[in-house]
Amino acid sequence: MSRPSILTPFFASLRSFKGVGPQLNALLGKFFGAGETDGPIVSDLLMHMPERAIDRRKEAHVRNAEIGEISTLKLHVDSHIPAPRGRKSIPHRVLAHDETGEITLVFFGNNGGWVEKSLPVGEQRYVSGEVASFGGKKQIVHPDYVVPLDKFDTMPKVEPVYPLTHGLSAKILRRLISNVLNSSPQLPEWIGEQRAKEMNWPSFKQALTNIHTPTSPEMLNILGPARMRLAYDEYLAGQLTLQLIRSQMVVEKGIERALTGALTSKLIAALPFELTDGQKAAFDEIRGDLTTGDRMSRLLQGDVGSGKTVVAMMAMAAAAETGAQSALMAPTELLATQHLNTLLPLCEAIGLKCILVTGKMPAAEKRTATEQISSGEADIVIGTHALFQSSITFADLALTVVDEQHRFGVHQRLALSQKGQKSDLLVMTATPIPRTLILTHFGDMAVSILAEKPAGRRPIDTAIIPATAYDRVIARLKARVAEGAQAYWVCPLVEESELVQLVSAQDRHAALKQIFGDKVGLIHGRMKSKEKQDVMGAFQNNELSILVATTVIEVGVDVPNATIMIIEHAERFGLSQLHQLRGRVGRGAKSSACLLIYKEPLGETASARLNTMKQTEDGFIIAEQDLALRGSGDVLGTRQSGMPGYRLAIPDVHQHLLEFAHEDAANILATNPGLTGDHGHALRVLLYLFRKDLAIPLIRAG
Ligand code: ADP
Ligand code: MG
């Protein structure tokens, strides 16, 4: 079944609307996070929620118009005082009054005669804008609206205010949204009768209308009926999807694996260290899952450096005891290669075959790998998303381990779990995820936590240093490198342009080469994967002392001998990103340092972020602090972390609706698992609308 045709207008490209040229289209695409090939569509706009509303309804008088408030005044125009020729800094002023007092309207810049025309002396006009005070007198600088008395109705009385991006004007966005709203049809009601009666919410279309073209500011209140309805809709679509995935996993029972313990005990003997108690406990839980018939769906959560990889290795070794295969998925080739390097010696020690599959592998190599996977010769397969390719079939996939889950969507996870019909799933993440979020994002998963770090770790000495002290940093680095230390030097993140970031990394690399010669390497995202691996290898083997890098090294990179992390323009990084980066050092028994170099001026939040970094190394505290600093609008940090985000629901505000949606989705799937009939059809529309197409094939037939 494909997308119901009633939804076609919601998926129309914005290019088909008047006034949307390639430039605006690209800007909107980027703003809404639309895929590069797809471009922004109507539903992106409709789901862009305003933050608040401007209220122009009340007709005020000059005397009682409050400073700093938007007011709509009915004014007599008295006279114009044009700006003197050639004096750009002096505005054109218009003196006006009503029966209660006088007010000045102020216009900067060249208005091309527009001001004279729209405010003729001796006539009356409605003027709406923010009232200010200047030299003890009231004024409005650049009123938002100036309209003749008979055109009062053309002025929007209540105007939604949207989050904007650089280059996007509020007026254009508002006009566009109201245009696309007009072109969108009424949809069938998917909210169940019981819930609908209880809540008495407006229809989907009506809710959008109330929010985008409100007649009172209360209409877009985040706890008002319109926003609540939309939040519920989004949750319901999400919950139906997760529960469909979940029910599929439960229906296909797992396999009771008879683990002998032969390989895991060999592995423990081969490890250069003792497992921590946390690692042992986590593995016990995993082993329990593997031996029962239920399919494992487990999250292994542990701060950076807590030693998740070895737990995964234990789990894969256990699976191999039954002759079955495991797959380990990493978010980048660099990490996949690193996992291979870490695990290969361990696998050899216990007699397992471990291979790598990446997208950029030469065809012949890939063919060999594919054969080894399908014949069952490969026990452990490490890879990137290339593992999803349909040409790869496993002989007997028992366990899938996904590293750094927040980079993967539910989509890929599903694709992979379909490779092994009854395979178990272990997801590793460094981001502490609260229970309720686990429920909404990943469905019902069991959780194992690595609470402590391996013994013998020393605290990382974190310093906040102004860029003006560059020479001091270099002197300190020289001394440490002379003692054999290795350092990462991370270059500024430039949001607008990967290219600019690259140039700054290249510049820094060149500058450091002047000082440290051939002991400086460079790694960045634009390099070929082989080049990256070579540089990484050289750093790992201590042939390089300093590795200048962009944020490609953010996740997972593990070089225990590296003990210095220098982050340039640290003020531009998010808190969790800084934490991830710092987590690259402090991995061995030697003491480590992290230098956060910032450039003035340092804003309040940036300063708070750096101080948090100095004060604590605890990932949980940092995550909490991160939420506090980012505010509730971006609770999940969806943009930063790539976690599946919400557009309509605000997680900490609409929590109770999530619970309703959870309950309702369960009831729906219990009573109408095939989503048949009118209500079933409406629910399918809902799933497509929220782009949960992947859930559709999971709906049980009939
Ligand atoms: P992360 O949880 O961030 O993925 P890793 O698995 O990369 O952490 O482990 C970080 C470092 O700690 C690695 O160098 C690893 O070899 C080491 N390590 C893991 N477990 C232990 C342990 N029990 N004792 C000592 N070192 C350990
Ligand atoms: Mg890791």
Side-chain angles (χ1 to χ4, degrees):
M1 180 184 149
S2 58
R3 190 170 64 215
S5 57
I6 191 165
L7 285 176
T8 307
F10 288 90
F11 285 80
S13 162
L14 293 183
R15 281 305 304 272
S16 57
F17 285 83
K18 218 180 117 217
V20 185
Q23 215 173 343
L24 181 58
N25 194 62
L27 184 71
L28 290 170
K30 208 167 157 225
F31 188 39
F32 294 132
E36 271 173 39
T37 42
D38 305 344
I41 57 173
V42 165
S43 78
D44 289 327
L45 272 184
L46 292 178
M47 293 188 189
H48 189 53
M49 292 290 108
E51 297 165 328
R52 58 191 175 87
I54 294 175
D55 189 356
R56 303 184 194 282
R57 285 171 306 172
K58 221 174 76 214
E59 201 184 306
H61 295 287
V62 172
R63 193 193 304 149
N64 63 11
E66 277 180 59
I67 307 297
E69 297 285 314
I70 301 268
S71 285
T72 304
L73 305 167
K74 189 179 183 180
L75 299 176
H76 290 270
V77 181
D78 298 321
S79 63
H80 282 247
I81 308 174
R85 268 184 185 284
R87 301 278 306 273
K88 283 211 181 100
S89 59
I90 299 182
H92 180 123
R93 289 180 302 151
V94 180
L95 306 186
H97 76 275
D98 68 7
E99 53 276 30
T100 67
E102 292 178 346
I103 189 162
T104 309
L105 309 176
V106 180
F107 299 88
F108 285 92
N110 179 2
N111 296 287
W114 173 86
V115 177
E116 282 87 347
K117 233 178 281 157
S118 49
L119 288 159
V121 173
E123 292 193 21
Q124 274 189 305
R125 288 290 184 269
Y126 280 107
V127 175
S128 186
E130 188 180 320
V131 178
S133 164
F134 185 74
K137 295 183 70 178
K138 284 185 175 167
Q139 65 173 31
I140 299 179
V141 181
H142 291 231
D144 302 326
Y145 293 93
V146 175
V147 297
L149 301 194
D150 58 340
K151 295 267 169 61
F152 184 64
D153 284 342
T154 65
M155 193 174 77
K157 303 304 170 305
V158 181
E159 254 179 351
V161 179
Y162 296 96
L164 294 171
T165 182
H166 186 71
L168 182 61
S169 100
K171 249 191 185 137
I172 288 181
L173 184 63
R174 224 179 271 137
R175 190 173 326 133
L176 201 55
I177 290 181
S178 97
N179 275 352
V180 302
L181 186 63
N182 285 334
S183 75
S184 65
Q186 193 68 251
L187 296 177
E189 185 55 84
W190 48 72
I191 297 184
E193 251 169 62
Q194 195 54 38
R195 186 66 67 196
K197 227 196 278 159
E198 190 185 327
M199 306 311 290
N200 201 15
W201 283 325
S203 72
F204 181 75
K205 168 107 197 231
Q206 190 58 49
L208 287 177
T209 309
N210 291 358
I211 283 165
H212 291 304
T213 55
T215 51
S216 82
E218 292 75 46
M219 280 183 153
L220 38 89
N221 189 330
I222 51 174
L223 284 170
R227 278 301 297 266
M228 295 239 278
R229 187 217 150 110
L230 297 180
Y232 171 87
D233 290 344
E234 187 168 37
Y235 281 141
L236 185 63
Q239 287 303 308
L240 278 172
T241 305
L242 286 170
Q243 291 185 29
L244 282 165
I245 291 175
R246 186 84 189 127
S247 63
Q248 188 214 24
M249 289 188 76
V250 173
V251 166
E252 293 161 6
K253 272 276 183 194
I255 293 176
E256 292 175 29
R257 301 193 182 266
L259 307 180
T260 61
L263 289 173
T264 45
S265 47
K266 254 198 204 166
L267 177 62
I268 289 172
L271 286 174
F273 45 72
E274 283 267 315
L275 291 179
T276 64
D277 288 346
Q279 286 169 326
K280 283 184 204 154
F283 174 64
D284 280 345
E285 289 171 334
I286 294 167
R287 185 172 47 200
D289 288 344
L290 293 175
T291 48
T292 65
D294 292 332
R295 273 178 85 175
M296 175 168 78
S297 183
R298 183 172 289 277
L299 195 65
L300 176 60
Q301 188 177 299
D303 203 358
V304 282
S306 60
K308 295 183 288 293
T309 317
V310 74
V311 177
M313 182 62 214
M314 289 285 288
M316 297 192 291
E321 287 169 2
T322 67
Q325 296 167 295
S326 299
L328 171 59
M329 308 256 322
T332 64
E333 297 212 357
L334 194 67
L335 287 182
T337 312
Q338 179 185 288
H339 277 316
L340 182 79
N341 294 338
T342 314
L343 300 187
L344 209 49
L346 295 173
C347 286
E348 274 164 8
I350 64 174
L352 291 180
K353 178 146 187 85
C354 177
I355 65 165
L356 180 73
V357 177
T358 69
K360 289 174 189 145
M361 249 161 112
E365 260 177 63
K366 189 178 262 165
R367 206 170 316 120
T368 313
T370 309
E371 276 163 22
Q372 289 171 334
I373 297 171
S374 60
S375 69
E377 189 189 339
D379 300 296
I380 294 177
V381 184
I382 300 175
T384 57
H385 54 269
L387 278 181
F388 297 126
Q389 280 169 4
S390 48
S391 63
I392 294 177
T393 44
F394 286 81
D396 179 13
L397 180 62
L399 172 67
T400 302
V401 183
V402 179
D403 192 10
E404 309 295 352
Q405 156 77 17
H406 57 283
R407 306 262 158 151
F408 286 102
V410 173
H411 222 132
Q412 288 103 314
R413 219 177 83 192
L414 189 69
L416 196 74
S417 84
Q418 280 165 349
K419 294 247 172 223
Q421 281 305 318
K422 297 173 191 305
S423 79
D424 288 306
L425 176 70
L426 179 67
V427 173
M428 305 197 283
T429 174
T431 321
I433 307 173
R435 179 83 219 150
T436 47
L437 292 190
I438 291 173
L439 196 70
T440 50
H441 289 299
F442 308 113
D444 224 356
M445 284 184 107
V447 182
S448 298
I449 294 178
L450 296 182
E452 90 254 64
K453 300 219 169 132
R457 295 278 169 83
R458 306 236 222 121
I460 301 171
D461 179 16
T462 300
I464 305 172
I465 299 171
T468 46
Y470 179 73
D471 291 345
R472 229 171 62 212
V473 172
I474 294 293
R476 193 163 157 190
L477 187 57
K478 259 190 193 156
R480 297 292 299 275
V481 166
E483 295 161 13
Q486 285 185 283
Y488 296 98
W489 187 302
V490 179
C491 276
L493 177 78
V494 180
E495 205 180 80
E496 306 82 55
S497 159
E498 190 195 346
L499 206 64
V500 177
Q501 184 182 7
L502 184 58
V503 169
S504 73
Q506 282 168 337
D507 285 352
R508 180 58 66 217
H509 177 237
L512 290 174
K513 261 192 124 138
Q514 299 276 328
I515 305 167
F516 295 93
D518 285 344
K519 304 211 68 135
V520 190
L522 172 66
I523 188 164
H524 58 73
R526 292 267 178 113
M527 275 160 62
K528 290 218 176 68
S529 110
K530 173 83 170 62
E531 291 170 344
K532 273 193 267 193
Q533 281 156 28
D534 288 349
V535 174
M536 212 54 226
F539 190 61
Q540 220 136 18
N541 299 333
N542 207 348
E543 289 153 33
L544 294 171
S545 299
I546 301 170
L547 184 63
V548 178
T550 57
T551 39
V552 289
I553 60 151
E554 184 184 342
V555 221
V557 167
D558 183 35
V559 181
N561 191 51
T563 52
I564 304 171
M565 169 60 67
I566 299 174
I567 304 175
E568 226 181 310
H569 274 298
E571 79 280 1
R572 293 188 189 167
F573 292 82
L575 201 42
S576 61
Q577 217 175 7
L578 289 172
H579 178 62
Q580 286 288 338
L581 285 168
R582 183 173 57 185
R584 300 307 118 215
V585 297
R587 302 190 143 234
K590 280 190 241 161
S591 63
S592 294
C594 173
L595 310 186
L596 303 171
I597 304 182
Y598 69 92
K599 192 148 185 205
E600 305 273 17
L602 196 56
E604 209 172 296
T605 5
S607 159
R609 282 199 297 261
L610 299 187
N611 280 320
T612 303
M613 286 296 290
K614 192 172 161 58
Q615 280 153 16
T616 184
E617 264 181 69
D618 186 323
F620 284 81
I621 295 177
I622 287 178
E624 259 173 29
Q625 199 48 35
D626 198 19
L627 291 189
L629 288 175
R630 271 191 276 126
S632 67
D634 188 22
V635 169
L636 288 171
T638 47
R639 270 159 213 253
Q640 285 183 28
S641 68
M643 279 240 269
Y646 291 108
R647 303 210 242 185
L648 307 178
I650 306 172
D652 52 354
V653 175
H654 295 134
Q655 194 59 43
H656 62 296
L657 297 174
L658 171 60
E659 276 148 34
F660 290 166
H662 186 73
E663 221 172 86
D664 294 348
N667 282 335
I668 289 164
L669 293 177
T671 54
N672 184 5
L675 299 187
T676 53
D678 287 349
H679 187 216
H681 171 74
L683 287 162
R684 286 167 191 254
V685 169
L686 171 75
L687 288 173
Y688 277 106
L689 177 66
F690 283 94
R691 305 207 196 191
K692 305 289 185 197
D693 310 23
L694 78 151
I696 303 286
L698 303 181
I699 298 169
R700 226 173 300 160

